[in-house]
Amino acid sequence: MRFTKLLGATLCTGALLLTGNVLAIDSLKILVPAAPAGGWDQTGRALQAALQADKIVSKITVDNKGGAGGTIGLAQFVSSSKAIPTC
C-alpha cells in the first residue's frame, strides 16, 4: 500500500512536470514514514535537495515518523491530509 501511494504521488508529480503545468509552491512538507538516517529518510532528503536546487519549492520540511514498519507514519499521513487537494 505504501508503494502504491508513493508511486501515485511520483506519477502525479511527473505528469505535472512533463506537461509544463508546474504550479508555484511556497512550502512543502515531506512526511517520511521511518526514523532519521535510514533509507526512506535519505530518499526524502534527496527529494528535498533536488526540489530546492531546481527552485521548485523554496521551503521544504522533512518530518520523520518512525515505528511499526511505517504504519504509524502512514496513519499520520492519512489523518493529516484528508482536506489537502491532490492532482
Side-chain angles (χ1 to χ4, degrees):
M1 178 137 160
R2 287 185 297 180
F3 176 74
T4 305
K5 289 197 177 272
L6 178 63
L7 180 61
T10 303
L11 292 175
C12 179
T13 303
L16 287 173
L17 293 174
L18 287 176
T19 60
N21 295 330
V22 178
L23 303 173
I25 301 173
D26 294 328
S27 65
L28 178 69
K29 178 181 176 184
I30 298 174
L31 177 62
V32 176
W40 283 110
D41 182 54
Q42 291 174 7
T43 302
R45 301 216 183 256
L47 179 61
Q48 175 189 30
L51 290 171
Q52 286 179 325
D54 288 342
K55 296 182 170 74
I56 296 173
V57 183
S58 58
K59 180 183 175 195
I60 302 176
T61 57
V62 177
D63 183 24
N64 294 80
K65 194 67 170 179
T71 307
I72 294 173
L74 181 61
Q76 180 180 341
F77 172 75
V78 170
S79 65
S80 68
S81 63
K82 287 183 180 179
I84 298 173
T86 61
C87 66

